[in-house]
Amino acid sequence: MSWQPVGALWARLPRELGDAVRPRIPAIARHCVEGVVSEIAECAEVFSDSEARAAAVELTRRGIERAIDRVGVPELLQNDLLADFRAQGRLAFHQGLSREAAQAAFRVTSRVLWRAIAAAGRQLQLSGDVLYGAAECLFGDVVEVTMALTDGYNAAQAESTGPAEQRARLFRLLTAGAGYTQADAGALAVAIGWRIPPRVTAVVFVSEPGAPAFPSGLLPSAVPADFVSDAPGALVACPEADLDGLRELPSGWSATVGVPVPADQAAESFRIARRASELARRGLITTVGPVLWCEEHLTTLLLLADEFLLDRLAGEALEPLSGLAPKQHDELSATLLTQVQTRGSAPEIARQLAVHPQTVRARLRRLAELFGERLDDPDQRLRIELALRAERLRPADV
């Protein structure tokens, strides 16, 4: 079956069905509001007093009336309902309802209206095809009206805040991960004049006590950025160009640039940037200048991604070294790391460590006593190497 506009579907219904439903509209509207209040907690709170509920009933009555007026009427003569529902979306925002509650309220209303239409159709002994057509009309309305409600809601939401707050809200929305819709993000992006790119990179900023305010001109004006919350940051499409101004970061400020990711994974780039910023604060990542680029430290970030598991790995893989004196531990660790990395001979390891080959041979014999067959197992060697690399990155007192 080919797709048809919803208005054309309403036009195909018999006029007698609309005539039968029309006298029942006031009662249907009351039942709709009763259903909405009983099923949706937010609506129950908003429409708790009699005046608000009466207004909701009247608004619902007018909406149902305009819907039924389309029955049997040529599409060109039908009223445009979507403008009304965009206005209702705006009203829902100003009433304090969530977008989801406004959408759910219309679905409840459609269900109650369908029951009334079906009852009238049965009384008229209309065919099953006619009733199926009425159901198809209501389903089509749910799709189109939900979009109109969302458009109106988003527009009211975007208009309610200034540009700085809109940029901050979009940043928090995209970096929070799951739980937002494309409509949410799209409305805020339009409001700040930013087109959501295919890939984004998160930037985390840290300021020391007494640092000056962040200079607004260091970032492009139309990017999501939040300098109000406890985790200030921004999202950019092209780090090399968009972050060129960070070379002028004032004293007391530092920036950590995450990795480029698809826009719907912005939370991952933000998470990695925050982790790198924390590691730099602890001295586990060395930076030159005020800007840290995560792309240059991926190995370190991977090794230190989960320090709890890393401690478990080190405790098992390096257990044979645990009872040694600090000096002997350090010497054998350095020799062991070079051995598992290179699989070289004693003279080769000696050259890398700048010690005598005989010293290396003595250490290798001691390591063989401590680790035994583990040094011949590729999986064990990998675990040992990872643990030793991490040990070098994390001094014991950090």
Side-chain angles (χ1 to χ4, degrees):
M1 185 190 330
S2 61
W3 177 86
Q4 296 185 62
V6 177
L9 297 175
W10 283 101
R12 289 167 47 192
L13 297 177
R15 288 198 179 205
E16 59 184 317
L17 178 59
D19 294 339
V21 172
R22 198 167 283 108
R24 310 179 190 197
I25 289 178
I28 296 171
R30 288 195 301 274
H31 294 154
C32 287
V33 174
E34 289 169 1
V36 166
V37 168
S38 66
E39 294 187 30
I40 305 170
E42 287 185 46
C43 294
E45 184 176 346
V46 170
F47 305 132
S48 58
D49 64 86
S50 58
E51 185 177 344
R53 188 169 300 196
V57 170
E58 175 59 20
L59 188 64
T60 304
R61 184 193 65 76
R62 291 202 303 265
I64 295 174
E65 219 168 54
R66 287 171 64 84
I68 296 302
D69 283 345
R70 293 179 292 172
V71 173
V73 175
E75 186 180 359
L76 290 175
L77 302 179
Q78 293 180 17
N79 293 316
D80 179 15
L81 286 180
L82 298 184
D84 288 350
F85 282 104
R86 279 189 284 270
Q88 288 191 29
R90 287 176 171 272
L91 177 62
F93 172 79
H94 292 298
Q95 287 174 323
L97 289 172
S98 69
R99 184 183 297 99
E100 293 71 22
Q103 295 168 347
F106 182 74
R107 290 194 293 270
V108 171
T109 298
S110 297
R111 188 173 69 239
V112 174
L113 177 57
W114 160 241
R115 290 172 183 163
I117 290 175
R122 284 193 296 271
Q123 287 182 359
L124 294 170
Q125 297 184 334
L126 298 177
S127 69
D129 286 343
V130 172
L131 295 180
Y132 173 82
E136 192 175 4
C137 290
L138 287 169
F139 177 78
D141 274 350
V142 167
V143 174
E144 291 192 352
V145 169
T146 297
M147 293 175 62
L149 282 169
T150 301
D151 288 345
Y153 191 102
N154 289 344
Q157 187 179 55
E159 292 166 1
S160 68
T161 55
E165 176 58 24
Q166 289 169 347
R167 293 169 66 198
R169 284 179 54 199
L170 181 55
F171 174 81
R172 293 193 291 266
L173 192 72
L174 294 175
T175 56
Y180 73 89
T181 67
Q182 292 298 322
D184 293 335
L188 285 170
V190 169
I192 68 171
W194 188 62
R195 178 177 294 179
I196 300 178
R199 297 178 70 80
V200 297
T201 301
V203 190
V204 169
F205 296 98
V206 175
S207 62
E208 298 174 359
F214 188 86
S216 58
L218 296 192
L219 289 174
S221 59
V223 298
D226 178 12
F227 290 97
V228 178
S229 70
D230 294 335
L235 288 175
V236 297
C238 181
E240 291 77 9
D242 294 339
L243 301 179
D244 186 60
L246 295 188
R247 293 181 298 180
E248 306 300 325
L249 268 177
S251 177
W253 281 91
S254 63
T256 302
V257 183
V259 296
V261 296
D264 60 358
Q265 296 177 25
E268 284 300 303
S269 183
F270 185 51
R271 179 185 64 81
I272 292 169
R274 292 187 70 180
R275 176 61 173 163
S277 179
E278 169 63 15
L279 293 175
R281 184 192 65 79
R282 292 165 54 191
L284 303 182
I285 291 181
T286 302
T287 62
V288 178
V291 182
L292 167 64
W293 294 80
C294 289
E295 290 276 4
E296 298 174 1
H297 301 275
L298 292 181
T299 302
T300 300
L301 289 169
L302 176 61
L303 280 172
L304 301 181
D306 190 322
E307 294 189 71
F308 174 78
L309 289 179
L310 189 59
D311 288 338
R312 296 290 297 270
L313 173 67
E316 179 187 330
L318 303 182
E319 189 275 334
L321 300 177
S322 61
L324 302 179
K327 183 175 185 298
Q328 188 179 21
H329 178 282
D330 292 345
E331 292 173 347
L332 289 181
S333 292
T335 304
L336 181 56
L337 179 58
T338 306
Q339 182 194 25
V340 296
Q341 286 177 329
T342 66
R343 300 291 287 168
S345 63
E348 291 170 335
I349 296 173
R351 280 195 297 274
Q352 293 200 34
L353 297 178
V355 297
H356 196 279
Q358 280 299 105
T359 302
V360 170
R361 291 189 182 96
R363 292 180 185 175
L364 291 176
R365 284 194 295 270
R366 179 61 175 144
L367 288 170
E369 294 173 2
L370 292 170
F371 286 87
E373 295 180 353
R374 295 190 197 184
L375 299 181
D376 298 320
D377 184 328
D379 289 338
Q380 291 294 328
R381 288 201 305 272
L382 175 61
R383 292 162 69 89
I384 291 170
E385 180 178 357
L386 290 174
L388 288 170
R389 281 177 172 269
E391 189 177 69
R392 284 193 167 189
L393 290 171
R394 297 191 309 166
D397 58 342
V398 174

